[in-house]
Amino acid sequence: MNDGYSGLPNARIRAANGVDYAYRDTGGEGAVPLVLLQHFRGNLDNWDPALIDALATARRVVTFDNAGVGGSTGTTPDTIEQMARDAIAFIAAIGFSQADLLGFSIGSFVAQQITLTRPAIVRRLVLASAAPQGAPGMHGWAPEVIGAIGTPNTSPEAYLDVFFTRSASSRPAGAEALRRMYARTEDRDTATTWATREAQYDAICAWGIPDHALLQRLTAIGVPVFVANGDSDPMILPRYSYLLAGLIPDARVKIYPDSAHGFLFQHHAEFAADVRAFLTGAS
Amino acid sequence: MNDGYSGLPNARIRAANGVDYAYRDTGGEGAVPLVLLQHFRGNLDNWDPALIDALATARRVVTFDNAGVGGSTGTTPDTIEQMARDAIAFIAAIGFSQADLLGFSIGSFVAQQITLTRPAIVRRLVLASAAPQGAPGMHGWAPEVIGAIGTPNTSPEAYLDVFFTRSASSRPAGAEALRRMYARTEDRDTATTWATREAQYDAICAWGIPDHALLQRLTAIGVPVFVANGDSDPMILPRYSYLLAGLIPDARVKIYPDSAHGFLFQHHAEFAADVRAFLTGAS
């Protein structure tokens, strides 16, 4: 039975750093594989299967839990730099000498850092709901955002408030995305812990300490980059996508209408088509 | 007879700095007046009358030659800072305590500087084909651009190469814009001089000396800003519009399709509608 991402087994692989990483692998040959880096508090089950399946039509796609997250062993570090090292260790363990990266939210921070720390392994980079280190106004999420998705027990309603807008098209799309994420009933990933939440949020706040000089790091990103966000993202404002596109030498940017932090789930078909076009060099 | 911008007289006004400024004034009451700042080597006749007429349907629009340019007396300075002072002197002379500014190309540099030097007189700001001071890769125009429009005697073909694309829709739109600009046969403005060209290009090169720290100036622009450019501008790349929109706290950005440096002439109806919406606070 082939039911796409929802039916993939949870695989495990031990890396040189001693961490056993949980991951899912769509398989497939040909193109350079695409490795996905997940959002704040997310695990393997927090990727919308509709997005992964759309991306996987043309290439091998791998999702994984970084060190200390979900089903992976180890400890969630409190810096983006260490998260990047941990992700590099996973990519080495799975045997990819080069990969395309798609980083979402905090995953976009890690993806930028990987590209700066180990540029040789990154072929092309997709930054979704992203912001650069040091940008003004990014010191932690807005109160209504951390109040919604930073609590010990979050609700579907709180998730929808951040990842989708309140419009008649976005909100139902959010309910559909949640339904797809929860359709898998067996072999679900281990829930992320409060320790992961605390460490990740420390890393997010540190990344957001305003420092204009650090923005210049972006000029060292030498690979082609596709920057994307929803026009109404309350967690990471679209202005940071413009900032990334303005400073990364080879970047293109797209802002998706009537959507928020989860624009890539809401617009999964369009976004996957845009990513495929970008990764094949057609855009 | 009312034939719009093409029929406006060349007015003159002496400012406190002793310069007699040439200008054209559409008149009109109500809204805050809109003052336009012209491109490299341009004078009053280099505004597309179709754009001015579209902007003037809803407000008073004033074009002028800055000090030393075209029909104005004085000397063209070789710094954006002094051009801003000279423009502020004109705005004071014409009696505007506050104005909206639309800066185009080098005029966008001057408009940014005015907003930083004398924020009290700027209500809202439109930056067309714009870039911030210090941006990497902006040290003078590209060789093919300065080779086309930086020569002692420029041709319509060279103008079209920079201001319009070679597409089947853009190029004819450029010919139409030129036809409108040259329809006025009497009382044309004085041509800009080689001394103006040299001073302006010195100012452009100085503005473009890469200096990451200077980008932070943008965070001090406190007024609402509309940033716009053509998607294929060879003179000032669209990435600088994203950079402006990423660092100015209250900015929105629009990139117009299949157009170059002269996107605002090519898309005059759409751009004027977007400017009107922005200036009235509807966007």
Side-chain angles (χ1 to χ4, degrees), chain B:
Chain B
M1 165 180 163
N2 177 5
D3 52 0
Y5 187 69
S6 292
L8 288 181
N10 295 326
R12 293 182 75 79
I13 194 166
R14 175 160 297 186
N17 59 2
V19 172
D20 289 324
Y21 289 83
Y23 70 100
R24 294 180 190 158
D25 183 350
T26 67
E29 298 298 321
V32 171
L34 176 64
V35 176
L36 272 53
L37 296 135
Q38 184 60 296
H39 68 71
F40 181 51
R41 306 182 78 179
N43 68 14
L44 301 176
D45 292 320
N46 294 106
W47 291 109
D48 184 342
L51 172 63
I52 308 301
D53 292 343
L55 292 170
T57 57
R59 64 190 58 247
R60 183 176 177 185
V61 179
V62 172
T63 63
F64 75 106
D65 289 327
N66 212 341
V69 175
S72 289
T73 65
T75 303
T76 305
D78 65 357
T79 67
I80 301 299
E81 291 76 5
Q82 186 57 43
M83 291 176 191
R85 290 186 200 99
D86 292 342
I88 290 168
F90 167 74
I91 292 167
I94 200 168
F96 298 157
S97 60
Q98 195 170 50
D100 295 327
L101 300 183
L102 188 162
F104 176 25
S105 193
I106 188 176
S108 82
F109 306 168
V110 179
Q112 292 171 64
Q113 189 63 46
I114 293 169
T115 309
L116 292 170
T117 300
R118 186 76 63 88
I121 65 171
V122 183
R123 192 189 69 106
R124 284 180 173 243
L125 182 60
V126 180
L127 300 175
S129 305
Q133 187 181 5
M138 270 291 299
H139 188 230
W141 311 135
E144 66 274 19
V145 169
I146 192 67
I149 50 78
T151 54
N153 295 296
T154 57
S155 68
E157 290 70 29
Y159 175 86
L160 291 174
D161 283 347
V162 172
F163 281 66
F164 296 84
T165 79
R166 293 176 186 277
S167 80
S169 65
S170 183
R171 196 76 172 197
E176 281 299 297
L178 281 178
R179 188 191 58 71
R180 291 189 294 265
M181 287 186 234
Y182 284 92
R184 176 184 185 125
T185 53
E186 296 188 8
D187 201 25
R188 287 184 68 82
D189 192 11
T190 307
T192 55
T193 64
W194 186 251
T196 288
R197 183 272 189 211
E198 291 280 63
Q200 286 186 338
Y201 198 55
D202 284 355
I204 288 162
C205 289
W207 179 264
I209 296 172
D211 185 337
H212 181 77
L214 290 177
L215 297 176
Q216 198 171 11
R217 291 161 30 110
L218 297 174
T219 63
I221 293 182
V223 298
V225 180
F226 174 44
V227 184
N229 202 354
D231 66 351
S232 304
D233 186 352
M235 199 159 184
I236 303 185
L237 305 183
R239 62 179 288 207
Y240 301 111
S241 289
Y242 294 132
L243 185 48
L244 288 159
L247 285 171
I248 295 171
D250 182 10
R252 65 280 301 135
V253 60
K254 181 170 177 177
I255 306 297
Y256 294 73
D258 184 29
S259 55
H261 202 61
F263 80 93
L264 69 178
F265 301 158
Q266 178 177 339
H267 294 287
H268 54 86
E270 180 180 352
F271 176 69
D274 291 336
V275 169
R276 288 196 304 268
F278 166 67
L279 293 181
T280 57
S283 72

Side-chain angles (χ1 to χ4, degrees), chain A:
Chain A
M1 166 179 163
N2 177 5
D3 52 1
Y5 187 71
S6 292
L8 288 181
N10 295 326
R12 294 183 75 81
I13 194 165
R14 174 159 299 184
N17 59 2
V19 172
D20 290 324
Y21 288 84
Y23 70 101
R24 292 179 191 159
D25 183 350
T26 68
E29 298 297 323
V32 171
L34 176 64
V35 176
L36 272 54
L37 296 135
Q38 183 61 296
H39 67 70
F40 181 52
R41 306 184 78 180
N43 68 14
L44 300 176
D45 292 320
N46 294 106
W47 291 109
D48 185 343
L51 172 63
I52 309 301
D53 293 343
L55 292 170
T57 57
R59 65 189 58 247
R60 184 176 176 185
V61 179
V62 171
T63 61
F64 75 107
D65 287 328
N66 211 343
V69 176
S72 290
T73 65
T75 303
T76 305
D78 65 357
T79 67
I80 301 298
E81 290 77 5
Q82 186 57 42
M83 292 177 191
R85 290 187 200 98
D86 292 342
I88 290 167
F90 167 74
I91 292 167
I94 200 169
F96 298 157
S97 59
Q98 197 171 49
D100 295 327
L101 300 183
L102 187 163
F104 176 24
S105 194
I106 187 175
S108 83
F109 306 169
V110 180
Q112 292 171 64
Q113 189 63 47
I114 293 169
T115 308
L116 292 170
T117 300
R118 187 75 63 88
I121 64 170
V122 183
R123 192 189 69 104
R124 283 180 174 245
L125 183 59
V126 180
L127 300 175
S129 306
Q133 188 181 5
M138 271 290 299
H139 188 230
W141 311 135
E144 67 274 18
V145 169
I146 193 66
I149 50 78
T151 54
N153 295 295
T154 58
S155 67
E157 291 69 31
Y159 176 86
L160 291 174
D161 282 345
V162 173
F163 282 66
F164 297 84
T165 79
R166 295 177 184 276
S167 80
S169 65
S170 182
R171 197 75 173 197
E176 282 297 298
L178 280 178
R179 189 191 57 72
R180 291 188 294 265
M181 287 186 234
Y182 284 93
R184 178 184 184 126
T185 52
E186 297 187 7
D187 202 23
R188 288 185 67 83
D189 193 10
T190 306
T192 56
T193 64
W194 186 252
T196 288
R197 183 272 189 211
E198 291 280 63
Q200 286 185 339
Y201 198 56
D202 284 354
I204 288 162
C205 288
W207 179 265
I209 296 171
D211 185 337
H212 181 77
L214 290 176
L215 297 176
Q216 197 171 12
R217 290 161 32 110
L218 298 174
T219 64
I221 293 182
V223 298
V225 180
F226 173 44
V227 184
N229 203 354
D231 65 352
S232 304
D233 186 352
M235 198 160 185
I236 303 186
L237 305 183
R239 62 179 287 207
Y240 300 111
S241 288
Y242 293 131
L243 185 49
L244 288 159
L247 284 171
I248 295 171
D250 182 9
R252 66 281 299 135
V253 60
K254 181 170 177 177
I255 305 298
Y256 293 72
D258 184 29
S259 55
H261 203 60
F263 79 93
L264 69 178
F265 301 158
Q266 178 177 339
H267 294 287
H268 54 86
E270 180 180 351
F271 176 69
D274 291 336
V275 169
R276 288 197 304 268
F278 166 66
L279 293 180
T280 57
S283 70

